[in-house]
Amino acid sequence: MAQFDDKNIPLVSVVVVTYNSAKTVIETLDSIIVQTYKKIELIISDDDSKDTSVEICEKWVEKNKNRFVRTKIITHTPNTGTSANMNRAFSEAQGEWIKGIAADDKLLPNCISNFIDYINSYPDAKIVFSRVVGFGNMEAAKQWPWLNVKRFFDNLTPFQFRIVLSSQNFLPAASVFLKKSVWKGLGGYEESIPLLEDWPFWVKAMSNGYIFDFMDKDTVAYRLSEMSISQGIGALSERYLDSSRKAISYANRSLKELGFSYIYLYLTRRLLMIHLPGISKLVFILNVFNPTYYKYRNTLLLFKKLQFCETT
């Protein structure tokens, strides 16, 4: 079709990852077909769903495939987790840029157009985050403070950003727009951490010198649900908790790469994983002559202050 022939605009791969998503995936797919940006490839990757997710996607794609430059549905057995599912989808993607989306979230109509406008204005950008809006269970939104992370980009230096990110994940994965060459160069998502693909990847990217950009526009509607595996305590399986522990360890190791005093801080901070009275005081004593400790502590205090400040 003529709308796909312009070689001056990049092909964007929209990657939808599904797992037992029969109830929500149509909303996700419908949000992609109405994108104002036209040169889109659609990749759907299913991780051994036990419901009718694959059948629903196949019928939808057959009906709407002419809207896209290319479509592809990937299925896999057995279930491997989100990290491997994302890697399979990204491997198949042919676009220069990739917009990933979970099969219960939605792209806002100008999502891809806004990102393309941004990278045209900032050609050095390779990993771009944005604002997201919440929908669904808005009570759950009160427990999720990352709907707007602009304040962190505005107030943290890249070095402070890395320190905080080595301690906790605060970036909305739903919003990221990623250059495929970055994913490939970093070796993809960490499949040894099957159910938490995003945080280790951000840490790995920063450890390899990448700077994150932020576009101050809403691009994604993020479904807030008490039953979401990443939001609801009741849904947390032992497998997810194991991935969470591995992700924490992986992220914390980033401190060791910042120099000798950070190695010492990393080693003593591991004591904090032992939930016993007085451990925090012991960590302070062990680091009392470590100037890095005070930089680290002050950075986390600044982050905490920003975390609870009012957002617009």
Side-chain angles (χ1 to χ4, degrees):
M1 297 177 67
Q3 60 181 340
F4 304 143
D5 292 340
D6 191 343
K7 298 183 183 302
N8 295 318
I9 63 174
L11 174 65
V12 175
S13 299
V14 176
V15 165
V16 181
V17 288
T18 62
Y19 175 67
N20 291 344
S21 308
K23 294 182 179 179
T24 58
V25 68
I26 290 296
E27 289 182 79
T28 303
L29 295 174
D30 284 347
S31 76
I32 300 169
I33 202 171
V34 299
Q35 288 298 299
T36 56
Y37 191 82
K38 299 304 180 185
K39 198 172 181 180
I40 293 175
E41 169 191 60
L42 176 63
I43 307 293
I44 302 170
S45 187
D46 185 80
D47 196 22
D48 197 26
S49 288
K50 305 305 181 186
D51 62 7
T52 58
S53 295
V54 173
E55 292 88 339
I56 290 172
C57 290
E58 288 174 340
K59 290 179 181 178
W60 190 95
V61 167
E62 181 60 31
K63 179 181 178 181
N64 298 288
K65 61 185 179 182
N66 290 335
R67 159 63 179 86
F68 302 99
V69 175
R70 173 175 175 262
T71 60
K72 178 74 174 182
I73 297 177
I74 304 166
T75 59
H76 188 275
T77 301
N79 177 273
T80 56
T82 311
S83 298
N85 196 24
M86 294 281 282
N87 281 338
R88 288 191 293 272
F90 277 47
S91 295
E92 183 65 37
Q94 297 180 2
E96 179 182 353
W97 288 86
I98 300 178
K99 180 72 197 84
I101 186 78
D104 58 351
D105 299 331
K106 297 184 289 186
L107 302 184
L108 299 182
N110 291 323
C111 173
I112 306 300
S113 293
N114 284 337
F115 277 120
I116 293 299
D117 288 344
Y118 184 91
I119 64 171
N120 285 337
S121 298
Y122 301 94
D124 291 334
K126 293 180 174 62
I127 305 173
V128 186
F129 292 87
S130 72
R131 297 198 309 255
V132 300
V133 296
F135 76 105
N137 185 343
M138 296 314 293
E139 285 299 313
K142 298 176 182 178
Q143 309 300 321
W144 198 73
W146 314 129
L147 285 175
N148 186 353
V149 297
K150 180 178 184 296
R151 57 197 184 278
F152 306 131
F153 283 86
D154 287 346
N155 292 282
L156 297 176
T157 67
F159 192 73
Q160 290 174 324
F161 210 93
R162 181 172 174 181
I163 290 175
V164 175
L165 198 59
S166 297
S167 303
Q168 70 181 97
N169 187 19
F170 60 94
L171 296 173
S175 77
V176 73
F177 193 63
L178 179 69
K179 200 162 190 177
K180 183 178 177 179
S181 60
V182 174
W183 167 85
K184 185 176 181 179
L186 291 174
Y189 293 100
E190 293 297 316
E191 296 187 15
S192 62
I193 309 175
L195 298 184
L196 272 173
E197 83 290 349
D198 55 334
W199 187 17
F201 189 82
W202 312 146
V203 171
K204 182 163 58 171
M206 292 206 82
S207 297
N208 281 273
Y210 286 101
I211 302 297
F212 301 152
D213 281 53
F214 181 80
M215 180 178 69
D216 193 17
K217 292 184 179 181
D218 295 324
T219 63
V220 172
Y222 179 77
R223 188 183 300 271
L224 293 146
S225 168
E226 291 176 347
M227 295 307 294
S228 168
I229 192 168
S230 63
Q231 300 166 32
I233 294 175
L236 298 185
S237 65
E238 180 55 38
R239 189 181 179 202
Y240 179 82
L241 292 172
D242 180 64
S243 286
S244 181
R245 288 188 288 266
K246 289 179 179 178
I248 291 170
S249 178
Y250 185 97
N252 286 173
R253 286 200 301 270
S254 174
L255 291 173
K256 294 172 65 176
E257 301 168 6
L258 298 176
F260 173 78
S261 54
Y262 278 96
I263 292 175
Y264 182 59
L265 174 60
Y266 162 76
L267 293 173
T268 54
R269 277 194 70 250
R270 294 189 68 179
L271 290 169
L272 289 174
M273 299 180 70
I274 306 172
H275 299 290
L276 294 173
I279 290 296
S280 295
K281 187 174 182 180
L282 177 60
V283 169
F284 171 75
I285 293 172
L286 291 172
N287 283 283
V288 70
F289 296 114
N290 180 5
T292 296
Y293 172 79
Y294 301 97
K295 293 180 182 178
Y296 176 84
R297 185 184 64 177
N298 291 339
T299 297
L300 293 190
L301 288 174
L302 171 60
F303 176 76
K304 185 176 181 180
K305 179 180 178 182
L306 294 171
Q307 178 179 339
F308 294 106
C309 73
E310 291 294 324
T311 60
T312 56

